[in-house]
């Protein structure tokens, strides 16, 4: 498992000393190690501390991080379904209503967040391949990708699938180049 700083503590500290930058996760996996209700609470708290300068990026995770703690690593299709269900639960909790949720993977009974987000937190969904970018377009508010390899060929393949979702989507793209 990669053990770097705990991002939610770091984001809270950054919110306390910054005033204009947007704060959010590079990527959080809300399906195994962290229950989506906890992710909803953490993101809402950061939004409250940061005055609404917050976003959330989610993905299906990596075995390196998830398996070493949970001893679970479902197939990709199941992880994708879990992520979609997690997004639905997170968004419902951000309304401030009591949420009784009976999904295939996650359940809550009258769960309520008392510290609500200061903004409508956009959720960016990770996709590294064109085939799964439509999930970001349909269920998310945008896409987070590294694009893969050198150049822009992979991003050029990924971005059209993002457009298959409803509405206009914000696109967040990070491409690494070898030096």
């Amino acid at each position: 498992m990669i053990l770097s700083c705990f991002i939610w503590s770091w984001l809270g500290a950054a919110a306390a000393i910054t005033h204009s930058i947007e704060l959010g996760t590079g990527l959080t996996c809300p399906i195994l190690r962290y229950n989506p209700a906890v992710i909803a609470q953490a993101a809402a708290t950061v939004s409250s501390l940061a005055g609404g300068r917050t976003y959330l990026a989610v993905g299906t995770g990596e075995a390196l991080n998830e398996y070493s703690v949970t001893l679970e690593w479902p197939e990709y299709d199941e992880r994708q379904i879990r992520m979609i269900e997690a997004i639905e639960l997170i968004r419902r909790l951000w309304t401030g209503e009591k949420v009784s949720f009976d999904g295939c993977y996650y359940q809550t009974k009258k769960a309520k967040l008392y510290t609500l987000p200061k903004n409508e937190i956009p959720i960016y969904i990770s996709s590294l391949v064109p085939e799964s970018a439509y999930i970001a377009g349909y269920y998310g508010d945008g896409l987070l990708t590294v694009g893969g390899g050198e150049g822009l060929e992979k991003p050029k393949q990924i971005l059209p699938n993002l457009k298959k979702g409803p509405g206009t989507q914000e696109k967040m793209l990070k491409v690494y180049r070898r030096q």
Side-chain angles (χ1 to χ4, degrees):
M1 177 169 81
I2 298 172
L3 292 172
S4 56
C5 70
F6 185 64
I7 191 62
W8 299 106
S9 298
W10 189 93
L11 287 170
I17 63 170
T18 64
H19 303 288
S20 60
I21 64 169
E22 241 188 330
L23 301 169
T25 56
L27 187 74
T28 291
C29 179
I31 66 173
L32 295 169
R33 275 188 302 165
Y34 303 118
N35 185 289
V38 174
I39 298 299
Q41 180 186 31
T45 300
V46 170
S47 174
S48 179
L49 293 170
R53 300 175 286 124
T54 310
Y55 65 89
L56 175 64
V58 298
T60 57
E62 293 181 279
L64 172 71
N65 296 315
E66 305 302 317
Y67 181 79
S68 62
V69 174
T70 64
L71 303 182
E72 291 183 64
W73 190 241
E75 293 296 320
Y76 180 72
D77 289 345
E78 181 181 327
R79 293 194 327 270
Q80 214 171 37
I81 292 166
R82 284 177 180 243
M83 182 185 65
I84 292 166
E85 187 175 305
I87 291 168
E88 180 184 350
L89 176 54
I90 289 167
R91 288 186 196 272
R92 287 184 59 191
L93 285 166
W94 285 342
T95 66
E97 301 295 319
K98 288 184 179 177
V99 176
S100 293
F101 189 86
D102 190 23
C104 293
Y105 299 100
Y106 309 107
Q107 292 79 39
T108 62
K109 185 174 182 176
K110 298 181 183 177
K112 180 177 174 63
L113 295 182
Y114 289 91
T115 300
L116 295 177
K118 293 284 186 202
N119 64 312
E120 188 171 312
I121 300 173
I123 298 178
Y124 302 115
I125 299 175
S126 172
S127 175
L128 300 178
V129 295
E131 296 79 19
S132 66
Y134 78 94
I135 296 290
Y138 195 82
Y139 295 99
D141 298 307
L143 170 73
L144 176 70
T145 185
V146 293
E150 292 185 26
L152 296 174
E153 197 53 42
K154 185 67 79 169
K156 285 179 184 176
Q157 295 169 1
I158 288 173
L159 290 176
N161 285 345
L162 175 66
K163 295 177 184 176
K164 292 181 181 177
T168 303
Q169 297 294 312
E170 185 173 337
K171 295 160 188 74
M172 182 186 304
L173 177 64
K174 185 169 187 175
V175 178
Y176 292 98
R177 293 183 183 252
R178 294 185 190 160
Q179 304 250 351

